[in-house]
Amino acid sequence: MRHLILASALVLALSGVASAQGLTITSPEFSAGGNIPSKFTCDASRTAPNPALVFGGVPAKTQSLALIMHDPDVPKTMIPSGEFVHWVMWDIAADAKGIAEGEGTGGVNGTGRPGYMGPCPPDKSHRYFFTLYALDAKLAGPYKNKAELVAAMEGHILQQAELMGNYERVKK
């Protein structure tokens, strides 16, 4: 009987953890920690499409979503911060189920241009982090860069989720 009670308590505890996981971001194009297909990178085109992204577990009080994609592995000899921002989006509808392939025309990238900029590592395999934020407000925007968006999100983040993919340039 004691084992049954402990097993029941464990099942309840685990089911609580599963339902408390909250916000998620995934992609049908690559798995977490997997390789981003070259179709979405500069090896395919300088104007490569963004990969499809899928959102889940958006908290009930969410008013809008924001997305930041960055590469923290840039050589500091190229960019002193060691980071390049590939995509920044804000005021994504709270009920959005994701972003379809090639539909990431909003926001800006690290060049100051609008939209998504695919991975293009200059030296070795790099990591690319897609971070989704559930916010308790709609943001006024527009924002010129990641720093402005992060400042605007301060105090409004309900939850965040992350998807990381890798990419190494095709050797020619």
Side-chain angles (χ1 to χ4, degrees), residues 58-65 91-97 135 138:
V58 176
K61 294 182 180 184
T62 301
Q63 294 297 306
S64 69
L65 300 167
D91 281 345
I92 301 167
D95 61 354
K97 302 299 181 210
L135 306 172
K138 291 185 179 180

Side-chain angles (χ1 to χ4, degrees), residues 9-10 12 14 29 56 73 92 97 127-128 136 140 150 162:
L10 181 60
L12 287 173
L14 290 176
E29 314 298 347
D73 299 323
I92 301 167
K97 302 299 181 210
R127 298 167 298 154
Y128 297 86
D136 67 0
V150 168
E162 191 168 82

Side-chain angles (χ1 to χ4, degrees), residues 6-20:
L6 287 174
S8 297
L10 181 60
V11 167
L12 287 173
L14 290 176
S15 66
V17 168
S19 65

Side-chain angles (χ1 to χ4, degrees), residues 26-45:
T26 59
S27 177
E29 314 298 347
F30 63 96
S31 59
N35 292 321
I36 297 171
S38 63
K39 165 183 183 174
F40 305 107
T41 73
C42 70
D43 284 327
S45 166

Side-chain angles (χ1 to χ4, degrees), residues 41-127:
T41 73
C42 70
D43 284 327
S45 166
R46 282 284 177 195
T47 57
N50 62 278
L53 298 171
V54 179
F55 309 151
V58 176
K61 294 182 180 184
T62 301
Q63 294 297 306
S64 69
L65 300 167
L67 177 74
I68 297 173
M69 176 196 172
H70 77 281
D71 168 3
D73 299 323
V74 177
K76 292 188 182 216
T77 54
M78 293 182 75
I79 299 176
S81 69
E83 175 187 69
F84 185 81
V85 177
H86 285 264
W87 196 15
V88 175
M89 291 186 72
W90 58 90
D91 281 345
I92 301 167
D95 61 354
K97 302 299 181 210
I99 300 172
E101 178 182 318
E103 295 297 315
T105 56
V108 296
N109 60 53
T111 67
R113 294 190 176 112
Y116 170 85
M117 182 175 187
C120 198
D123 55 350
K124 59 181 173 65
S125 180
H126 285 213
R127 298 167 298 154

